[in-house]
Amino acid sequence: MKKDGKVEVAPPQVDSIVVAVPGAALSAKALAKAAEFGIDVVLMPGWRPVARLVPARYAPPVELWVRQAAAYVKRRVELARRFAQGKLENQSALLRHYAKMHRDAKLAKAAEEVLGYARALNAASSVAEVRQMEAAGARIYWRAYKTLVPPHLGFKKRLKRYDPGPVDPVNAALNLGYGLLKKECWRALHLAGLNPHIGYLHKPRRAQPALVYDLVEEFRPAVDKAVLALARRAPSALLDPAKRLEEMVKTAAALREDIQRQARSLAAAIRDGLGYVPWSLK
C-alpha cells in the first residue's frame, strides 16, 4: 500500500506470539516490529508465562489504576467473592453436565455441594474466609473429576506445577492450559487498561500479577472441560507432548474473546463502582 509516495508495510495477521521452546529466540528487529504493530509477545518456557513485551509508548490509564487501588481498600472482599464464585459455579456446571449425561447421582450431589459453597461465599467477611470456602469446594470438585478420567491415564489427584514427583498427562495438560490462560488474561487486562499487579482474591506480591491470577480462576473449568474431553475421547493427544500443547493452545485461543470481554467488564465495574458478574461456562 502506498501513501505519500512511500510504501507502508501492512500489519501481520497475528496478534500474539508465545515463545515457549527453551533455546528459541526472537531478534531485536522482530521484537521491535511486534511492538510497532501491537503484537503481544509472551515468554513462556514452561507451564507459566514469565515475561511479556510492553511497548515503550504504552501510556498507563492512571485514573483507572487509582480507582483499582481504591477498590483494593474498599471492595476487596466483594471482588474476591466474585472471582471465587465464578470458579466454583463453573466447576459445578461441569460436574452437572456429566451427571446428566450419565445419570450419575453421586456426580449430581457433588455438583450441588460445590454450588453450595459458591452461594455461601456471599456471607464471607474476609478474603481468608473466601479462600477457605473456595478450597473446600475445590476438594469436592477434584474428587468427582477424578472419577470421570479413564484410570489408565494415572490421574490420582490434582497436582500443581510445583508439586514434587512425576506428573501424569492429565495434570500436565491442566498445568499447561492454565499457563496459557494466564497469558490470555494478562493480555486482556492490559488491553482493558487495568494494572495486572493489583489483585483482590490473590494477595499482591512482588513480581506476581495478582489480578491475572484472579481472572484466571473463573476460566479454569473451561480448561478442565477441554482436558476431560480429550481424556475420554482422544487420550493419545494427552500422551503426546506436542499434541498436548497444540490442544491447549486451541483451548486458550477459543476463550480469548470471552476473556477480553470479561476484562472490559471488570474494568467498568472498578471504574464506575458497579457489581462484577463472573463468566459462566457453557
Side-chain angles (χ1 to χ4, degrees):
M1 181 173 65
K2 290 187 177 181
K3 185 178 180 181
D4 298 329
K6 296 181 180 180
V7 178
E8 288 190 337
V9 179
Q13 300 301 307
V14 61
D15 61 5
S16 182
I17 296 174
V18 179
V19 182
V21 181
L26 288 177
S27 68
K29 185 176 181 180
L31 290 173
K33 278 296 180 185
E36 179 184 347
F37 290 120
I39 298 171
D40 196 46
V41 179
V42 179
L43 305 182
M44 190 173 166
W47 287 333
R48 67 187 181 97
V50 297
R52 67 188 291 270
L53 177 67
V54 178
R57 290 181 296 176
Y58 173 65
V62 177
E63 183 180 351
L64 179 56
W65 284 16
V66 169
R67 291 179 182 270
Q68 192 179 345
Y72 181 80
V73 176
K74 299 178 180 179
R75 301 179 61 190
R76 187 182 178 196
V77 175
E78 170 205 337
L79 290 168
R81 288 193 203 114
R82 298 289 89 80
F83 290 119
Q85 280 179 326
K87 177 181 180 180
L88 291 174
E89 287 172 357
N90 289 334
Q91 287 177 335
S92 175
L94 190 155
L95 296 181
R96 191 163 56 249
H97 168 76
Y98 279 97
K100 289 181 179 179
M101 181 187 299
H102 300 294
R103 299 182 181 179
D104 190 318
K106 290 184 178 180
L107 280 177
K109 182 182 178 182
E112 284 303 310
E113 289 176 347
V114 173
L115 186 59
Y117 277 106
R119 291 168 176 164
L121 281 168
N122 288 319
S125 58
S126 68
V127 174
E129 193 174 355
V130 169
R131 289 174 178 159
Q132 289 170 0
M133 290 184 182
E134 183 274 326
R139 284 192 290 270
I140 296 170
Y141 169 75
W142 286 114
R143 285 198 296 267
Y145 188 93
K146 174 186 172 183
T147 67
L148 292 166
V149 178
H152 75 275
L153 290 174
F155 182 78
K156 304 295 182 184
K157 62 178 181 178
R158 174 73 187 106
L159 294 173
K160 299 179 181 179
R161 59 179 176 79
Y162 47 75
D163 286 332
V167 178
D168 59 89
V170 173
N171 270 303
L174 290 170
N175 288 333
L176 178 57
Y178 296 159
L180 289 163
L181 271 186
K182 290 175 188 174
K183 173 254 183 191
E184 293 294 343
C185 289
W186 200 348
R187 177 178 187 270
L189 291 170
H190 174 82
L191 292 175
L194 289 162
N195 187 320
H197 297 280
I198 303 175
Y200 303 97
L201 178 60
H202 293 83
K203 184 178 180 179
R205 291 189 176 94
R206 184 177 179 180
Q208 295 294 324
L211 192 63
V212 173
Y213 298 148
D214 286 355
L215 187 58
V216 162
E217 293 299 332
E218 54 198 273
F219 288 94
R220 286 182 189 271
V223 170
D224 303 345
K225 182 177 181 181
V227 172
L228 186 57
L230 284 173
R232 296 168 65 87
R233 185 188 72 248
S236 60
L238 294 180
L239 297 170
D240 183 329
K243 290 182 180 179
R244 192 161 61 216
L245 173 61
E246 179 183 352
E247 293 295 334
M248 291 301 97
V249 167
K250 287 179 183 177
T251 297
L255 292 167
R256 181 173 298 162
E257 289 187 8
D258 283 355
I259 291 172
Q260 290 176 351
R261 279 194 293 268
Q262 206 61 27
R264 291 193 295 269
S265 175
L266 177 60
I270 291 171
R271 182 182 59 246
D272 303 326
L274 304 173
Y276 175 64
V277 179
W279 177 79
S280 295
L281 179 68
K282 299 176 177 62

